[in-house]
């Protein structure tokens, strides 16, 4: 399951919805594991488990999250080697778009994972940013990821 999730997230960063085949395989594993008696595979057990991790990513309401993953990595950080300002602008727009996910699901497991992995990276990126950029992104980050 986790191998497919890792592959899915990696492929999401290289092409729009590139992780779909791997998410589908992970979802099949979840479906097959529900009869195993082990915890973490069923929708009704918790909102933060394997079931919801893959289920939400396949929902249309999370399409913005998946697009943000692509934009953040491919059009943001990959562009920074040539143009830091342009890349940082795309990263900023990607983070702003995640507010839609937050509005849909304030307790989004996917947002928690994203910010747990990216919080330090985001801080480092915006350390050198002009104050105007910081003042735009900080309120959004405080809203959608107050823990970081």
């Amino acid at each position: 399951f986790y191998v497919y999730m890792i592959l899915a997230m990696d492929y999401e960063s290289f092409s729009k919805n590139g992780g779909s085949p791997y998410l589908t395989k992970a979802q099949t594993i979840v479906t097959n594991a529900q009869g195993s008696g082990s915890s973490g595979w069923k929708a009704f057990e918790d909102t933060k488990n394997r079931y919801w991790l893959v289920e939400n990513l396949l929902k249309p309401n999370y399409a913005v999250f998946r697009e943000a993953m692509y934009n953040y990595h491919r059009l943001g950080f990959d562009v920074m080697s040539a143009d830091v300002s342009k890349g940082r602008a795309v990263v900023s727009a990607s983070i702003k778009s995640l507010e839609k996910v937050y509005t849909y699901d304030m307790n989004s497991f996917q947002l928690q994972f994203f910010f747990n992995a990216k919080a330090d990276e985001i801080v480092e990126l915006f350390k050198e940013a002009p104050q105007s950029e910081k003042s735009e992104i900080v309120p959004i980050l405080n809203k959608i990821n107050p823990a970081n």
Side-chain angles (χ1 to χ4, degrees), residues 6 17 30-31 46 56 58 64 101 106 110 117 131 139:
I6 291 166
N17 298 319
V30 168
T31 301
D46 193 0
N56 283 342
L58 290 169
V64 68
V101 176
M106 290 174 61
Q110 287 70 21
Q131 187 59 39

Side-chain angles (χ1 to χ4, degrees), residues 22 24 29 40 56 125:
Y22 303 102
T24 302
I29 291 169
N56 283 342
L125 175 63

Side-chain angles (χ1 to χ4, degrees), residues 8-139:
M9 292 297 90
D10 188 46
Y11 276 80
E12 290 288 302
S13 72
F14 287 105
S15 64
K16 287 185 182 181
N17 298 319
S20 292
Y22 303 102
L23 289 171
T24 302
K25 288 180 182 187
Q27 188 177 45
T28 300
I29 291 169
V30 168
T31 301
N32 292 338
Q34 289 185 4
S36 71
S38 298
S39 63
W41 298 100
K42 298 176 184 138
F44 60 84
E45 291 175 332
D46 193 0
T47 58
K48 296 179 180 176
N49 62 20
R50 294 175 201 96
Y51 176 87
W52 290 112
L53 184 60
V54 69
E55 179 70 20
N56 283 342
L57 288 172
L58 290 169
K59 284 182 179 178
N61 290 338
Y62 275 82
V64 68
F65 178 85
R66 295 178 67 189
E67 185 174 351
M69 288 292 292
Y70 170 74
N71 291 340
Y72 180 95
H73 292 98
R74 184 72 182 102
L75 304 178
F77 274 90
D78 286 358
V79 168
M80 281 189 213
S81 63
D83 188 342
V84 174
S85 295
K86 184 177 178 183
R88 189 170 46 232
V90 172
V91 168
S92 182
S94 299
I95 292 169
K96 289 174 186 175
S97 73
L98 293 176
E99 191 172 13
K100 293 175 187 169
V101 176
Y102 177 83
T103 301
Y104 169 70
D105 181 4
M106 290 174 61
N107 298 312
S108 170
F109 200 23
Q110 287 70 21
L111 285 178
Q112 290 174 16
F113 271 127
F114 176 81
F115 285 112
N116 284 343
K118 301 296 183 181
D120 293 339
E121 182 175 83
I122 292 167
V123 168
E124 287 301 314
L125 175 63
F126 285 96
K127 253 185 200 176
E128 304 300 321
Q131 187 59 39
S132 60
E133 289 181 35
K134 291 178 189 178
S135 61
E136 277 186 37
I137 199 71
V138 168

